[in-house]
């Protein structure tokens, strides 16, 4: 008889129920035959550290879907040195939307520098080496109207941690434990560099003429993750050609885009965002938000998540632009573009992304694969570890998430 999918999953899987409050021995035992642990249960600030500890004790590399900046810091302080000593990797935020943002930014910057690696080819006439002055990331989604409420709950706790001082406490522990972050801080951004990209204000949405999109500041963890990746890479590889301690950081703008004629929807989204960020400053406000995520997100976040139709027909496109130090606003000089496209982001693309990154780690153990990782141990983020690794882009493309260097976003294949 034909075996159904659910029955096949039960027959081919081992299920371990472990109380991480009482101890992690059961988890260590369960992980003992594995090479990579993929942790998918959040919010991570509530249950993440015991799973990471168990993975390290079992001598496994580790990946998670976490987009919580406080957890990045707490895990770094707790386990980074041990992971480095053991040659183990712990990678956070290996999911949509951080992977497209981080690895898209790295690829766009690499392409910009490649196009302008010969100073005379840039047409400047001054022989100066071109650097990256700014990076813009614009996320868009297609045929999706709902997402899982777990993301909403994690965001509530994250906003409260930032406003209550909890995040500052974690950040101060990082500063105390890692003086090299200060020692490898980048030089100030030169005033002569162009002020690109521009970021929309908090009251009115912006407008991207090239894409025809209304844009708003993206309130997810992407900007924090990208900048943390730059910091991690700079401290681990101080002489890195693209992100070393001698290279000023580019301006960074991470946005969400909506159809250009949908100004009312953009303003409505901004109003819900303002309500969310205001309530999340207080405990009583967090209780309200946690009690009804659907009402406080205009129906976007639900306990059921996306529908079957959305899983099948949904998709995302992320547009990343890197601008050179001699770029003239409004022109196409010294610009590199990367377009990332994939299926429904939460339940379809995210498993593709995290497994592709994990497979790249496994490939790194095989010399014939020529996998280039920035370092071989420690707690980190995708951009710092994989930004210079062509193999990881190949792995993601093979599974249906494309990273394409393009001359023009408005190609016939563009969903916009």
């Amino acid at each position: 008889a034909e075996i159904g999918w659910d029955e096949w999953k039960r027959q081919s899987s081992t299920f371990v129920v472990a109380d991480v409050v009482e101890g992690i021995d059961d988890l260590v035992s369960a992980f003992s035959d594995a090479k990579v642990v993929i942790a998918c249960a959040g919010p991570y600030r509530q249950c993440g550290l015991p799973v990471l500890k168990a993975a390290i004790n079992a001598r496994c590399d580790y990946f998670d879907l976490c987009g919580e900046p406080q957890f990045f810091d707490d895990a770094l302080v707790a386990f980074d040195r041990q992971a480095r000593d053991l040659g183990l990797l712990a990678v956070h935020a290996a999911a949509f939307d951080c992977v497209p943002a981080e690895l898209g930014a790295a690829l766009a910057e690499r392409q910009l520098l490649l196009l302008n690696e010969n100073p005379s080819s840039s047409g400047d006439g001054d022989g100066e080496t071109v650097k990256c002055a700014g990076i813009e990331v614009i996320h868009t989604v297609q045929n999706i109207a709902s997402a899982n409420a777990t993301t909403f709950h994690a965001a509530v706790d994250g906003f409260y941690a930032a406003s209550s001082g909890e995040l500052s406490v974690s950040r101060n522990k990082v500063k105390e434990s890692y003086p090299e972050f200060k020692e490898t801080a980048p030089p100030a951004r030169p005033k002569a560099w162009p002020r690109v990209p521009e970021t929309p204000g908090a009251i009115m949405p912006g407008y991207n003429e090239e894409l025809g999109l209304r844009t708003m500041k993206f309130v997810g963890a992407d900007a924090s993750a990208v900048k943390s990746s730059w910091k991690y890479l700079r401290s681990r590889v101080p002489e890195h050609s693209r992100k070393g301690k001698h290279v000023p950081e580019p301006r960074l703008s991470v946005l969400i885009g909506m159809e250009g004629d949908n100004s009312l929807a953009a303003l409505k989204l901004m109003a819900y965002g303002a309500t969310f960020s205001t309530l999340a400053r207080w405990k009583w406000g967090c209780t309200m938000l946690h009690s009804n995520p659907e009402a406080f997100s205009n129906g976007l976040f639900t306990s059921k998540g996306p529908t079957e139709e959305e899983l099948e027909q949904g998709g995302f496109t992320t547009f990343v632009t890197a601008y050179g130090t001699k770029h003239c606003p409004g022109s196409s000089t010294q610009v590199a573009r990367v377009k990332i496209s994939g299926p429904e982001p939460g339940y379809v693309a995210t498993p593709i992304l995290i497994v592709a990154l994990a497979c790249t780690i496994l490939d790194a153990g095989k010399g014939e694969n020529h996998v280039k990782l920035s370092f071989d141990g420690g707690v980190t983020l995708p951009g710092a570890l994989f930004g210079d690794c062509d193999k990881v882009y190949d792995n993601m493309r093979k599974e249906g998430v494309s990273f394409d260097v393009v001359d023009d976003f408005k190609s016939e294949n563009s969903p916009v």
Side-chain angles (χ1 to χ4, degrees), residues 129-152:
T129 301
V130 172
K131 299 295 184 184
C132 182
I135 294 176
E136 180 179 65
V137 179
I138 303 178
H139 293 301
T140 66
V141 295
Q142 298 84 43
N143 304 319
I144 298 171
S146 58
N148 193 283
T150 301
T151 302
F152 181 89

Side-chain angles (χ1 to χ4, degrees), residues 145-170:
S146 58
N148 193 283
T150 301
T151 302
F152 181 89
H153 294 307
V156 172
D157 292 339
F159 268 79
Y160 180 75
S163 62
S164 67
E166 290 180 19
L167 181 58
S168 294
V169 171
S170 295

Side-chain angles (χ1 to χ4, degrees), residues 60-82:
C60 296
D61 292 315
Y62 164 97
F63 286 83
D64 65 40
L65 313 177
C66 180
E68 304 166 37
Q70 185 180 10
F71 185 74
F72 300 165
D73 293 339
D74 292 344
L76 184 75
V77 171
F79 298 114
D80 176 62
R81 302 292 188 193
Q82 182 184 5

